[in-house]
Amino acid sequence: MNKREGEACPRKNADSASDRDANADQSSPVMAAFKVFQQELDTKHDKYERLVKISRDVTIDSKRSIFLLHRVTSVPDAEDVLKEAEVKLDGVRQKIGQIAEELRGEDIYQFHRAFTPGIQEYVEAVSFLHYIRHRSLISLEEINARLVFMKEEKEGAETLLGAQVLTFQVTPSDYLLGVADLTGELMRMCISSVGNGDIDTPFQLSQFLRQIHDGFSYIGNTGPYEVSKKLHVLRQSLGKVEDACYALRVRGSEIPKHMLADVFSSRNTLREPEEGMV
């Protein structure tokens, strides 16, 4: 008898707890406070999801701009390609303007993980375009100067007087990570240049990549954690470009231009297993 009564006690306690929850005073200060917390968390979650979606669109359009820019090594008039890429990047900046609008009045670092992949891809694309035009690295200040937006405040069908200026500031860590990804695109540009018989661009790229590598080496372990992970890929890209320069300098006179890309590809194939053994 006592055992059965003991088994019934937990069930009775659970039922009484659920009854207390159902009969709780919804107008109590505690319940009102938790309702506010629930609304705040739901609002933050919805904003986070919107930022993830916009960041995904920024990433896709930035990648398309990068793919387009790789055509400059194989077309007779590179200026047309550069203008088309600039138009695409203008569209990307409009999407970044949507991010700036979502972040208005918010702490940017609460939502940073939602949009950082898209911003890094944008930095990679715009720095790639800048290098092709000017053969130099775009600065963080130049990138942020293009991310100023004018937004008109509307209420219903009427437009209020004046327009609000919105700015988006790329963080130094996103800038560094975007530049680190740029080195991979420059390595691919080197391969394309060699395949098209261009023997000058690989040497320019090699010198430029060495400067970037020296800068990242100077940062060392004091920078963001992701930078140290991408430093290995940067060194691989630099090594492949230096291999191309070696092949051009030492064997360029004895190999036809249209075969240089094949020789370069075979050297990379032999080099990669060796790198994995280290």
Side-chain angles (χ1 to χ4, degrees):
M1 183 66 67
N2 292 337
K3 184 177 182 182
R4 290 179 180 176
E5 290 178 356
E7 292 175 351
C9 285
R11 187 179 301 112
K12 184 182 294 185
N13 292 336
D15 292 340
S16 61
S18 62
D19 292 339
R20 285 197 304 270
D21 293 339
N23 296 327
D25 187 3
Q26 299 295 325
S27 61
S28 69
V30 175
M31 294 298 295
F34 273 90
K35 282 185 178 180
V36 173
F37 299 156
Q38 179 185 8
Q39 293 175 355
E40 291 178 354
L41 291 174
D42 289 343
T43 301
K44 180 179 178 181
H45 177 74
D46 293 342
K47 186 183 292 289
Y48 191 94
E49 292 300 321
R50 290 196 299 270
L51 288 170
V52 169
K53 184 179 182 301
I54 299 173
S55 175
R56 191 179 300 118
D57 294 339
V58 170
T59 300
I60 293 172
D61 291 344
S62 298
K63 285 183 180 294
R64 288 172 178 169
S65 301
I66 293 172
F67 296 153
L68 176 62
L69 287 170
H70 277 294
R71 291 172 49 196
V72 298
T73 60
S74 59
V75 296
D77 189 4
E79 189 61 29
D80 292 340
V81 176
L82 296 179
K83 289 180 179 178
E84 185 178 352
E86 187 64 46
V87 171
K88 287 183 177 295
L89 288 175
D90 283 338
V92 174
R93 279 187 278 269
Q94 295 304 314
K95 290 183 172 62
I96 296 177
Q98 297 176 20
I99 296 178
E101 194 167 3
E102 290 284 353
L103 294 175
R104 181 168 48 181
E106 300 284 355
D107 182 5
I108 183 176
Y109 291 102
Q110 286 189 359
F111 303 93
H112 185 248
R113 291 185 62 181
F115 59 83
T116 181
I119 298 303
Q120 292 177 28
E121 199 70 31
Y122 167 74
V123 171
E124 180 182 357
V126 74
S127 58
F128 192 27
L129 173 62
H130 187 274
Y131 176 80
I132 294 173
R133 282 191 180 278
H134 306 288
R135 289 297 190 265
S136 62
L137 180 64
I138 190 171
S139 66
L140 177 61
E141 291 75 16
E142 291 176 289
I143 293 177
N144 286 332
R146 301 290 299 274
L147 299 178
V148 180
F149 312 97
M150 300 293 294
K151 296 292 182 180
E152 292 184 350
E153 293 291 339
K154 294 183 179 180
E155 185 176 1
E158 298 180 358
T159 302
L160 299 179
L161 295 176
Q164 186 175 11
V165 178
L166 291 178
T167 60
F168 183 89
Q169 297 292 309
V170 177
T171 62
S173 61
D174 287 341
Y175 172 74
L176 290 175
L177 294 172
V179 171
D181 291 334
L182 168 68
T183 59
E185 304 304 330
L186 295 179
M187 183 269 294
R188 295 179 184 91
M189 182 180 179
C190 175
I191 296 175
S192 301
S193 300
V194 172
N196 294 321
D198 183 0
I199 61 175
D200 295 326
T201 298
F203 291 98
Q204 297 174 359
L205 289 171
S206 177
Q207 183 178 4
F208 182 67
L209 286 174
R210 286 194 194 101
Q211 293 174 351
I212 293 180
H213 177 267
D214 292 344
F216 275 94
S217 299
Y218 179 77
I219 294 174
N221 296 327
T222 61
Y225 170 70
E226 293 85 355
V227 171
S228 60
K229 293 195 300 183
K230 292 190 176 185
L231 185 59
H232 175 67
V233 179
L234 193 159
R235 288 170 177 160
Q236 285 184 329
S237 299
L238 176 60
K240 292 177 181 179
V241 172
E242 288 178 338
D243 275 352
C245 294
Y246 171 82
L248 289 172
R249 183 70 71 188
V250 176
R251 303 186 61 189
S253 59
E254 46 185 73
I255 302 176
K257 288 185 177 180
H258 67 276
M259 295 181 61
L260 285 173
D262 296 333
V263 175
F264 176 52
S265 299
S266 64
R267 287 179 60 84
N268 285 337
T269 303
L270 293 175
R271 177 190 171 97
E272 287 174 357
E274 296 176 358
E275 290 177 346
M277 295 174 59
V278 177

